[in-house]
Structure formats: structure tokens, C-alpha cells
Amino acid sequence: MLELKNYIAKRDRLQKILSSIRVVLSDFNLKSKEESVKADFHRLDDEKFNLVVVGEFSRGKSTFVNALLGRRMLPVSKSPTTAVISKIIYGETSEYIVHYKSGESKTVSESEFNDIKAKSEGDVLSLDGLKDKLKALVKHQEKLDDIDFVEIRYPLPLCKNNVEVV
């Protein structure tokens, strides 16, 4: 935690210096340079640390993330389960927001989030049953393909200092 406090102190000091530089640039009417310094100032404010967990299907990524966070945030199963990218960030209250590739977003309940998962193949015995199952899988996949990612907001201490778990 000491390293984080040192980083925050250094970041704050750098932001004060950047503010002073902006005043000087403004005095000399150097607008483009002033805007560049302003952008750097805001980038420091918005800085995030991304912890990205990747791996093959059904290899324990969700189980690992749940253990890391100390709470079951992601559904787990022996078969492929988590079908979309999930970004866990700090929030004062629990919230699940589905972000679509179209740019739209929608807040859903935890149970609705848990329904956004990979469909299992199951046992299919008849040709008609196989056709129906295939149609259902294609329709389900089309819906999944519309989703860019799901943002999960939760008051987790690990995520409080701009840490995002993906």
C-alpha cells in the first residue's frame, strides 16, 4: 500500500507542475501546447491498471477471478460458461451493464447477466432435434455477437484505486 501512496503523491505533484506549465503556455498564447499539457493532466486522472485474465475454454479463468476478488462475480462450470468479456470495476453499488457493439448499453440484473453464457451442446439423438438445437445455438450466438462486453460494478477493495479486472 506504501507504493500506491508514493505513486499518488508523485502523480499529484506532477499534476501541479502541469498546471503551472499550462498557465505559462496560456500567457504566451500557445494554445496547441496548452491543450496537449491539459490532455496529459487528464490522462493522469483517468489512469487505470488492467489485470487481464486469458486462457482456453474451461480452464478456470472465472474461478481464478472469483477467488482473487473473494466473491463469486462470474458464473463457473465444467463446460464453457462465460461467453462474453467481463470487465469488473469499482462501484459504490452492485451493477451489471451490457455494452453492445452498436454503442448502446443496458443495465441488467445479476440473474440476467448469468444467463449470458455459452450454450452447452448436450446430447442430441434425432436429426430433427439436432436441427432445432443448431437453430437455437445460431440464434443464441447471434445475440452474443451483438455484445461488446459486460461491465460489472461492485464495491471491491481491489478495484477501488482504478484497477480493472478483465
Side-chain angles (χ1 to χ4, degrees), residues 51-86:
L51 172 62
V52 181
V53 180
V54 296
E56 295 180 13
F57 288 114
S58 299
R59 295 294 185 241
K61 296 177 297 295
S62 294
T63 301
F64 171 75
V65 169
N66 289 339
L68 177 71
L69 299 174
R71 182 185 186 284
R72 186 175 176 164
M73 300 291 297
L74 302 173
V76 294
S77 175
K78 292 178 187 175
S79 61
T81 304
T82 311
V84 296
I85 294 172
S86 302

Side-chain angles (χ1 to χ4, degrees), residues 33-144:
K33 298 292 184 190
E34 181 185 356
E35 288 300 317
S36 177
V37 171
K38 180 180 177 181
D40 290 340
F41 179 91
H42 289 296
R43 242 189 316 274
L44 283 171
D45 259 354
D46 296 336
E47 199 169 51
K48 292 178 179 36
F49 177 80
N50 291 308
L51 172 62
V52 181
V53 180
V54 296
E56 295 180 13
F57 288 114
S58 299
R59 295 294 185 241
K61 296 177 297 295
S62 294
T63 301
F64 171 75
V65 169
N66 289 339
L68 177 71
L69 299 174
R71 182 185 186 284
R72 186 175 176 164
M73 300 291 297
L74 302 173
V76 294
S77 175
K78 292 178 187 175
S79 61
T81 304
T82 311
V84 296
I85 294 172
S86 302
K87 184 186 293 190
I88 302 167
I89 65 171
Y90 185 83
E92 291 296 324
T93 59
S94 179
E95 193 172 21
Y96 294 82
I97 304 168
V98 179
H99 293 269
Y100 295 94
K101 291 177 182 172
S102 67
E104 297 175 32
S105 60
K106 175 184 172 186
T107 301
V108 298
S109 68
E110 185 174 359
S111 63
E112 287 173 307
F113 166 70
N114 288 328
D115 286 341
I116 303 172
K117 58 185 176 183
K119 290 282 188 186
S120 61
E121 296 173 14
D123 295 330
V124 180
L125 301 175
S126 71
L127 185 56
D128 288 336
L130 179 60
K131 287 179 185 176
D132 292 341
K133 184 75 167 177
L134 185 56
K135 285 179 188 176
L137 285 172
V138 168
K139 187 173 182 177
H140 178 74
Q141 188 60 46
E142 287 172 353
K143 288 181 183 177
L144 289 178

